[in-house]
């Protein structure tokens, strides 16, 4: 249910090698190292709305902006609808997203296009809007496929303990140690997702 893979760096060749035989959808941030995977046609990209929202939150925190605040409110409406559909079968999720989320999403995209010409191109707000507009097209498949999510927060949450651990223990000792750790993470997280007492199972 969960799969971790070790790589010694963030070069694009790593995901290309890890996912060489994968076919399907991939939720991810805008990391350019994934671009070759998408070009193959076997993997379809779904962008993350949480990353879009974060750009506007950063603008709000650093300088305050009525436009950033409005963007955050509009995105919050989409998350409100997602709360309604959580746990429902994919076909039901699509129906509700098409009737409720799509008008909000379409309106947000049109509204962002309308704001951009009125803002200085070099401001953080303009950067946030351009980023959002680039990602919106890649978020859109979420409206048509009930098995997709609005963001990849579940994956990011599952990676947080590893990122924190990496800071604390600084290194894995060797590349072999990194591969061993990836195997351990895979087994432990899969056990957790299946409701298995991980410590008892490992023992």
């Amino acid at each position: 249910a969960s799969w971790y893979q070790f790589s010694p760096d963030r070069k694009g060749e790593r995901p290309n090698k890890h996912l060489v035989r994968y076919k399907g959808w991939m939720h991810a941030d805008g990391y350019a190292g994934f671009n070759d995977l998408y070009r193959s046609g076997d993997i379809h990209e779904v962008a993350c709305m949480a990353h879009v929202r974060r750009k506007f939150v950063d603008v709000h925190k650093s300088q305050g902006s009525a436009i950033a605040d409005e963007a955050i409110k509009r995105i919050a409406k989409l998350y409100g609808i997602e709360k309604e559909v959580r746990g429902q079968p994919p076909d039901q999720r699509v129906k509700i997203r098409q009737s409720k989320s799509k008008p909000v999403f379409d309106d947000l995209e049109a509204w962002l296009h309308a704001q951009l010409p009125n803002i200085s191109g070099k401001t953080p707000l303009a950067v946030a809007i351009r980023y959002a507009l680039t990602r919106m097209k890649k978020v859109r498949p979420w409206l048509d496929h009930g098995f997709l999510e609005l963001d990849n927060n579940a994956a990011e949450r599952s990676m947080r303990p590893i990122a924190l651990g990496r800071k604390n223990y600084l290194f894995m000792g060797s590349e072999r140690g990194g591969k061993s750790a990836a195997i351990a993470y895979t087994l432990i997280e899969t056990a957790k997702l299946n409701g298995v007492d991980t410590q008892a199972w490992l023992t």
Side-chain angles (χ1 to χ4, degrees):
S2 185
W3 180 61
Y4 290 79
Q5 187 73 20
F6 172 80
S7 61
D9 54 48
R10 279 179 54 82
K11 290 178 183 172
E13 66 194 67
R14 309 300 180 187
N16 288 338
K17 186 178 173 187
H18 299 329
L19 299 169
V20 67
R21 288 188 297 276
Y22 177 70
K23 294 182 181 184
W25 294 87
M26 191 164 89
H27 258 297
D29 59 15
Y31 171 53
F34 295 141
N35 289 343
D36 285 343
L37 290 169
Y38 304 138
R39 278 193 282 271
S40 74
D42 290 331
I43 297 178
H44 308 289
E45 178 183 12
V46 191
C48 172
M49 185 56 87
H51 283 84
V52 172
R53 181 184 178 279
R54 198 173 301 152
K55 297 283 185 189
F56 290 111
V57 169
D58 289 345
V59 171
H60 166 79
K61 284 180 181 173
S62 65
Q63 61 192 51
S65 161
I67 292 172
D69 292 349
E70 179 63 21
I72 292 165
K73 282 179 193 168
R74 288 171 182 245
I75 293 168
K77 284 184 187 174
L78 294 172
Y79 276 99
I81 299 164
E82 281 303 288
K83 271 189 182 175
E84 284 180 45
V85 303
R86 193 163 292 130
Q88 293 193 36
D91 59 333
Q92 284 300 110
R93 291 170 67 152
V94 169
K95 278 182 189 172
I96 295 168
R97 285 173 181 171
Q98 288 293 321
S99 65
K100 293 186 176 182
S101 301
K102 191 174 184 299
V104 176
F105 190 89
D106 291 344
D107 191 50
L108 170 62
E109 191 170 25
W111 179 79
L112 288 170
H113 274 294
Q115 304 312 306
L116 197 53
N118 305 318
I119 302 164
S120 171
K122 293 183 180 178
T123 61
L125 179 59
V127 170
I129 292 174
R130 281 196 298 272
Y131 178 86
L133 289 171
T134 303
R135 305 310 293 161
M136 293 288 275
K137 184 171 122 182
K138 295 174 180 179
V139 173
R140 193 169 280 280
W142 147 83
L143 290 166
D144 301 316
H145 301 279
F147 57 86
L148 297 177
E149 299 293 337
L150 185 54
D151 57 43
N152 64 342
N153 284 351
E156 298 221 348
R157 277 193 299 274
S158 71
M159 294 300 292
R160 190 170 293 126
I162 293 167
L164 290 171
R166 195 174 53 214
K167 281 184 183 175
N168 293 331
Y169 40 66
L170 296 180
F171 48 79
M172 290 290 187
S174 67
E175 198 162 320
R176 187 175 170 188
K179 289 175 181 175
S180 296
I183 291 167
Y185 291 140
T186 297
L187 295 172
I188 290 165
E189 291 301 319
T190 297
K192 283 160 65 176
L193 286 167
N194 283 282
V196 172
D197 181 330
T198 310
Q199 189 171 358
W201 180 76
L202 286 169
T203 302

